[in-house]
Amino acid sequence: MTRAISLQDVSKTYTRGRRVVDRLSLDIEPGEFLVLLGPSGCGKSTVLRMIAGLEEITDGQLLLDGEYANDLLPAERDMAMVFQNFALYPNMTSRGNIGFPLRVENPAADPRPRVDATARMLGIEDLLDRFPSQLSGGERQRVAMGRAIARHPSAFLMDEPLSNLDAKLRNHLRAEIAKLTRDLGVTTVYVTHDQSEAMSLGDRVAVLRGGVLQQVDTPRSVYALPRNVFVAAFIGTPRINLLRGVVRAPLDGAMTVSLGKQFLRLPEPLSLDHQLLRVQQGREVIVGLRSEAVRIAKPASARPGEVALTGLVEHVEFQGHEILVHFDTGSRPAVVPDLEAARPVGRPDRRRRREGGHTVLDRIKERAGSLRAGPVAVLDDPPQAGPEPAAPDGRLPGDLVVRTTPDIQLRHGMQVPLLVDLAHLFIFDQHGERISPAPARLPDLEA
Ligand SMILES: Nc1ncnc2c1ncn2[C@@H]1O[C@H](COP(=O)(O)OP(=O)(O)OP(=O)(O)O)[C@@H](O)[C@H]1O
Ligand SMILES: [Mg+2]
């Protein structure tokens, strides 16, 4: 039996009135693997604990298989939870630990068959007679999974179950969890702040920021069509390049997006998506380019839909199978609150008072840090009428990261031609909402 979990306008307020989960609506299908993804403190665990019944729902409804479930006791919900700090009973063997919930549920029944079957499924038959202190971290986590599975719950709730493990083991267990939950076909809600984990596990990924749902969609869609700059920046490595631009229509009529001293000339006739930019003329926007949207090549070799830029090599990151080249294109990066080096949230920022010795970037970051529940992007100053001035404190290096093959020889200080694939150009407005590609496809004008 697997179940549908539905959250309807669910909010959570702890003591001092701050909503840590804000009107969250989410329908999770029976058998679905849904990942709750977001930065630390965005409310992921709180959501999971409300589903489990460990935390009261302040407002809104939880439905399990369509039935109102806000007031059900945790035990009545028939769900199994796996935590980051999987607490196994130290005085029980693996067998004892896995069998424990079975014995609680039905003291008369012999837990052995279920425990053995579960251990076989997880490949831990050899570990059944050991105590937790005799197991490695990964083995312990497998036993903890066993304890959750043995009961045949109708849903799994997993809260960063892999984050205490080293990278190799994490990848290994990640694949195991994916296989296991697929085989069992049990609805799973999985919490993580690791986007690559979310992308590789989820049927769908729900991105949370400051207790507010930003987007819920398949991994492919959140990557390809992020609703706003926060989702765009949270998902994908290397992080999407976010540059501050201005939409312009110079005298010859061609629409451009200027990036500092350079610009992207949008091909005529304008695509439907680019036509939408008309209303942004003269305004600052955020240009989003994933590292695969830009390639190192001369303008003469441009394909249709590609436009030229140049970049100054700042730094070359060798990664073995590829290299990441950090270019200075003379543009300024946009800052996304909650993603930049985390300043503790809610603490008054004493530094903000004395801005004198700070760079522009510092100031942008400081503002970003204070805008937790505000817009998803921060543009520091009002739109520029004339050409964009250079940043007063000099360059902000490495504003554009491009991924390329390792055979290419690049050195710091080289000026390199780049081609931007406009099919992969994102434009976000000043509040960080995506305006191009269009949020929803426009009805076909010719139809
Ligand atoms: N019992 C509590 N009382 C008051 N505030 C709480 C309580 N539990 C959590 N919070 C606050 O609610 C917010 C969300 O917490 P939550 O644990 O859900 O975040 P999270 O997304 O799971 O973060 P992390 O990735 O760090 O685990 C945080 O700001 C946290 O400080
Ligand atoms: Mg948490």
Side-chain angles (χ1 to χ4, degrees), residues 44-45 159-160 191:
K44 307 179 293 295
S45 297
D159 195 349
E160 313 233 14
V191 162

Side-chain angles (χ1 to χ4, degrees), residues 88-101:
L88 296 176
Y89 300 105
N91 56 342
M92 286 184 200
T93 60
S94 303
R95 177 177 291 287
N97 268 287
I98 296 173
F100 184 75

Side-chain angles (χ1 to χ4, degrees), residues 12-16 18-21 38-49 55 84 159-160 191-193 208 211 345 372:
K12 176 71 188 178
T13 310
Y14 288 112
T15 39
R16 269 189 296 145
R18 187 168 67 91
R19 275 193 186 180
V20 299
V21 175
S40 184
C42 72
K44 307 179 293 295
S45 297
T46 302
V47 172
L48 207 65
R49 293 170 59 79
E55 205 67 74
Q84 173 179 348
D159 195 349
E160 313 233 14
V191 162
T192 182
H193 62 270
L208 280 178
V345 171
R372 196 176 158 64

Side-chain angles (χ1 to χ4, degrees), residues 255-257 259 263-268 270-271 273-274 277 287-289 292-294 303-309 419-427 436-437:
M255 187 127 88
T256 64
V257 179
L259 299 166
F263 56 85
L264 303 172
R265 187 190 174 105
L266 304 179
E268 303 275 346
L270 291 175
S271 67
D273 286 326
H274 293 161
L277 297 175
V287 174
L289 290 170
E292 63 269 22
V294 185
R303 301 172 192 139
E306 283 185 331
V307 296
L309 281 183
L419 291 174
V420 175
D421 180 1
L422 293 177
H424 290 107
L425 172 75
F426 292 118
I427 306 278
S436 175

Side-chain angles (χ1 to χ4, degrees), residues 59 68 92-93 153 157 189-190 218 234 237 241 243 247 261 289 329 334 343 349 391 393 399 426:
D59 261 315
Y68 181 81
M92 286 184 200
T93 60
L157 305 176
V189 187
Y190 186 102
T218 59
F234 203 82
T237 40
N241 297 292
L243 309 174
V247 177
K261 293 202 183 75
L289 290 170
T329 62
R343 158 173 302 127
D349 186 350
D393 303 296
D399 52 26
F426 292 118

